[in-house]
């Protein structure tokens, strides 16, 4: 229990759902940090101000990322959280663990930290909450011994993450886990030694369903895709219709490309107008499948609203074959970093940088040819500029 | 063609830049790289600068810090640290 009464926090234990207050209370008798965490949070609720300072100089030797310093400004009142640093641990691709690995992680954290975890943070890392400065190095040493490493934080490559891909999903157009692993291994330097203007996130989704929401959260979104025709099993289409699926209403009318026709017997798709939204495939998974010629679409520039507003990624490479060791993608990423590091402002995400310098200039700088598929919205192309005089002349 | 600068030479120059700026301006790794390339001209490239920064960190002469962005500084007691 907390050392001080926590009537406001207690309200958050009511109702049918799991409560973070309940979880912290379970640990409060075992670790002073958890008891004081409840106390300082109750005080923040009463005073309506936060008592935390984040960032600073703390870290483990040689690394610039992976530890986020946190101190409270009331160390006399709440000594247990005078230091309450966060450690970010690089998760396995697609968050696959053995129960033994999780027990190992928990044992290490109970020994060196508060025992509170956040599985997982927004970028995907295993988050260890609450550690004193002097415990950081011993904790890191034990994590390394167990085969784990710290993830990214600060102005570096953040821990690459991916969906479960071919391990569990029939729609995966490439090996997201293999790609994520390769990026993590190849860019170790960029992951641990912050050298960018700001953070850079890579997220790999196996298909356009984009279960990791890479298009909204990653600076570089790698989304599985196909470039031939959707595979149709006519017999299964008939079975769906017989089973009561209203194909006209639930599939045809919901197609954003309006490229599906259904005459009551035969389903046809005009693939050149397909937006690859996956809706029809999701509704009739036995009847429709992504094409056979599979790879990925690379998109660049999304971010959540921290410094400025949210951005979605824009298409950078409409289609690329995904083959190990992904040299083309590594070269492209390095070219993007080169330009962004040279001219990017402090705390300017690559998407904001592109908005500032213009996509045309950015493409020229990274040596990529503009392509009509680089669209801001379907069927719009912001990178083709017409000479007004030429248009007027042609009208005449 | 001038003789290429050694990693140690570049690291020492970078260290002086960090020491001079300490308390006045926080320098990012990119700032150090750009300054080193200005000072050494074609005697260095980005790869050497990267190695020089690694040398500074691994020798313990400098540390990474985070104050809104990531910077390189000489180790010091930060004001907010609760002893």
């Amino acid at each position: 229990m907390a050392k001080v009464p926590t009537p406001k926090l207690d309200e958050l234990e009511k109702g049918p759902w799991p409560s973070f207050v309940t979880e912290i209370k379970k640990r409060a008798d075992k670790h002073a940090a958890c008891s004081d965490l409840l106390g300082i949070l109750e005080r923040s609720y009463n005073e309506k101000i936060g008592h935390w300072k984040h960032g600073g100089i703390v870290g483990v030797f040689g690394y610039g990322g992976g530890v986020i310093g946190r101190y409270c400004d009331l160390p006399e009142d709440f000594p247990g959280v005078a230091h309450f640093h966060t450690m970010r641990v690089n998760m396995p691709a697609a968050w696959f663990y053995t129960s033994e690995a999780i027990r190992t992680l928990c044992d290490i954290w109970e020994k060196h930290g508060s025992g509170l975890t956040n599985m997982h943070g927004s970028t995907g890392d295993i988050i260890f909450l609450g550690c004193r400065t002097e415990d950081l190095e011993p904790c890191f040493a034990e994590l390394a011994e167990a085969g784990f490493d710290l993830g990214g934080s600060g102005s570096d490559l953040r821990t690459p993450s991916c969906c479960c891909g071919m391990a569990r999903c029939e729609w995966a157009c490439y090996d997201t886990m293999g790609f994520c692993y390769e990026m993590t291994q190849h860019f170790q330097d960029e992951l641990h030694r912050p050298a960018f203007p700001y953070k850079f996130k890579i997220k790999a989704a196996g298909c356009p369903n984009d279960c990791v929401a890479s298009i909204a959260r990653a600076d570089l979104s790698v989304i599985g895709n196909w470039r031939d025709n959707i595979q149709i099993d006519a017999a299964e289409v008939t079975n769906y219709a017989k089973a009561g699926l209203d194909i006209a209403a639930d599939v045809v009318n919901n197609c954003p490309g309006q490229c599906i026709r259904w005459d009551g017997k035969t389903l046809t798709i005009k693939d050149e107008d397909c937006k690859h939204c996956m809706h029809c495939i999701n509704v009739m998974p036995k009847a429709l499948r992504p094409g056979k010629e599979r790879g990925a679409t690379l998109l660049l520039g999304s971010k959540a609203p921290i410094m400025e507003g949210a951005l979605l990624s824009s298409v950078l490479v409409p289609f690329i074959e995904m083959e190990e060791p992904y040299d083309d993608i590594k070269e492209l990423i390095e070219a993007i970093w080169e330009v962004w590091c040279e001219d990017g402002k402090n705390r300017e995400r690559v998407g904001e940088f592109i908005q500032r310098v213009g996509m045309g200039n950015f493409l020229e700088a990274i040596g990529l040819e503009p392509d009509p598929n680089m669209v801001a919205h379907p069927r719009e192309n912001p990178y083709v500029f017409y000479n007004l005089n030429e248009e007027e002349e042609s009208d005449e | 063609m001038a003789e290429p600068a050694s990693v140690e030479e570049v690291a020492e120059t970078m260290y002086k830049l960090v020491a001079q700026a300490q308390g006045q301006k926080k320098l990012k790794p990119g700032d150090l790289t750009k300054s080193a390339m200005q000072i050494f001209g074609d005697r260095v490239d980005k790869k050497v600068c990267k190695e020089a920064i690694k040398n500074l960190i691994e020798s313990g002469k400098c540390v990474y810090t985070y104050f809104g962005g990531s910077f390189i500084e000489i180790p010091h007691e930060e004001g907010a640290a609760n002893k």
Side-chain angles (χ1 to χ4, degrees):
Chain A
M1 292 298 290
K3 286 189 286 190
V4 294
T6 55
K8 285 199 167 69
L9 288 181
D10 296 345
E11 287 295 313
L12 298 175
E13 290 192 276
K14 295 175 183 170
W17 309 106
S19 163
F20 73 96
V21 175
T22 306
E23 294 304 307
I24 300 174
K25 279 184 178 175
K26 282 181 193 168
R27 188 80 188 138
D29 292 335
K30 296 174 184 156
H31 202 290
C34 300
S35 173
D36 279 347
L37 182 62
L38 292 165
I40 201 168
L41 186 54
E42 182 74 17
R43 185 144 163 186
S44 285
Y45 281 8
N46 287 326
E47 295 175 353
K48 294 187 171 54
I49 54 169
H51 287 286
W52 296 103
K53 178 216 165 274
H54 113 277
I57 205 167
V58 291
V60 299
F61 185 73
Y63 279 46
V67 176
I68 299 97
R70 263 180 216 284
Y71 298 103
C72 79
D73 63 2
L74 301 166
E76 292 82 16
D77 296 347
F78 302 103
V81 290
H83 300 203
F84 201 72
H85 309 314
T86 299
M87 291 185 89
R88 281 193 191 144
V89 182
N90 194 329
M91 70 294 186
W95 304 281
F96 277 93
Y97 302 91
T98 60
S99 50
E100 187 189 353
I102 294 179
R103 271 192 293 274
T104 303
L105 286 166
C106 291
D107 288 346
I108 292 171
W109 192 232
E110 284 198 356
K111 183 175 170 188
H112 296 288
S114 71
L116 295 177
T117 65
N118 171 206
M119 301 285 268
H120 297 83
S122 326
T123 301
D125 300 88
I126 302 157
I127 306 292
F128 284 175
L129 296 163
C131 184
R132 289 192 62 82
T133 304
E134 59 270 23
D135 290 320
L136 289 169
E137 287 287 356
C139 184
F140 174 58
E142 281 204 39
L143 284 169
E145 184 72 24
F148 285 90
D149 194 4
L150 295 186
S153 70
S155 307
D156 66 7
L157 171 65
R158 298 301 180 85
T159 316
S161 74
C162 64
C163 70
C164 60
M166 289 175 171
R168 290 184 65 208
C169 179
E170 59 193 315
W171 305 138
C173 293
Y174 71 98
D175 179 6
T176 53
M177 298 166 69
F179 174 75
C180 183
Y181 181 78
E182 178 62 25
M183 292 301 112
T184 305
Q185 299 299 327
H186 184 76
F187 292 121
Q188 278 289 298
D189 216 41
E190 288 75 10
L191 185 54
H192 298 310
R193 298 191 173 86
F196 299 155
Y198 204 17
K199 64 182 87 166
F200 190 93
K201 298 182 177 182
I202 300 175
K203 291 192 191 299
C207 77
N209 277 331
D210 195 11
C211 291
V212 285
S214 68
I215 198 166
R217 306 193 302 147
D219 296 272
L220 180 70
S221 322
V222 184
I223 301 178
N225 213 336
W226 64 94
R227 63 176 166 186
D228 54 347
N229 297 339
I230 291 177
Q231 301 179 68
I232 304 173
D233 184 331
E236 287 294 346
V237 173
T238 306
N239 287 341
Y240 274 109
K242 278 184 188 166
L245 176 67
D246 186 343
I247 294 177
D250 296 338
V251 180
V252 176
N253 290 348
N254 285 331
C255 173
Q258 298 181 347
C259 62
I260 305 177
R261 295 286 175 269
W262 167 246
D263 61 7
K265 289 180 182 171
T266 310
L267 183 135
T268 54
I269 298 175
K270 194 179 174 190
D271 283 89
E272 57 267 37
D273 285 339
C274 174
K275 310 284 189 200
H276 294 213
C277 75
M278 293 288 290
H279 176 75
C280 59
I281 296 174
N282 291 334
V283 176
M284 299 195 291
K286 288 182 183 171
L288 304 176
R289 302 187 71 79
K292 291 177 179 170
E293 208 175 330
R294 298 177 182 187
T297 298
L298 307 185
L299 304 96
L300 192 68
S302 70
K303 61 178 277 293
I306 298 179
M307 296 297 286
E308 306 217 355
L311 292 173
L312 290 179
S313 290
S314 298
V315 171
L316 191 68
V317 179
F319 186 86
I320 189 166
E321 288 177 4
M322 296 295 282
E323 286 169 7
E324 285 185 82
Y326 313 102
D327 284 339
D328 291 348
I329 298 181
K330 288 173 188 167
E331 278 175 28
L332 180 63
I333 291 172
E334 282 165 0
I336 291 166
W337 286 345
E338 177 89 18
V339 174
W340 176 48
C341 288
E342 188 66 32
D343 295 320
K345 293 179 182 174
N346 187 28
R347 301 195 82 185
E348 184 178 47
R349 295 285 284 272
V350 73
E352 294 161 349
F353 173 69
I354 292 169
Q355 281 194 324
R356 180 165 62 83
V357 302
M359 182 60 112
N361 293 328
F362 179 76
L363 292 175
E364 194 177 335
I366 63 171
L368 209 61
E369 284 291 314
D371 185 294
N373 289 297
M374 297 167 175
V375 291
H377 305 285
R379 294 295 180 266
E380 286 181 25
N381 183 348
Y383 311 124
V384 173
F385 301 98
Y386 296 99
N387 184 325
L388 192 61
N389 293 336
E390 283 175 12
E391 281 191 56
E392 284 169 355
E393 282 168 15
S394 65
D395 287 345
E396 289 165 9
Chain B
M1 178 80 180
E3 194 178 325
S6 68
V7 169
E8 291 73 20
E9 195 182 347
V10 178
E12 191 53 38
T13 301
M14 285 180 170
Y15 179 77
K16 284 178 186 161
L17 290 170
V18 174
Q20 281 165 10
Q22 189 87 348
Q24 297 168 51
K25 187 177 185 242
K26 293 185 190 302
L27 298 176
K28 293 181 80 80
D31 299 327
L32 291 175
T33 301
K34 283 177 189 169
S35 297
M37 292 182 83
Q38 232 167 17
I39 293 166
F40 289 96
D42 61 3
R43 292 180 61 212
V44 296
D45 56 21
K46 286 187 177 170
K47 202 175 164 189
V48 173
C49 293
K50 201 171 167 180
E51 283 301 312
I53 291 171
K54 193 173 169 183
N55 178 304
L56 279 179
I57 300 295
E58 295 191 345
S59 66
K61 290 174 80 176
C62 289
V63 288
Y64 285 108
T65 62
Y66 180 85
F67 295 95
S70 297
F71 300 95
I72 290 180
E73 296 184 63
I74 292 170
H76 61 279
E77 189 72 46
E78 74 181 293
N82 301 315
K83 289 182 183 172

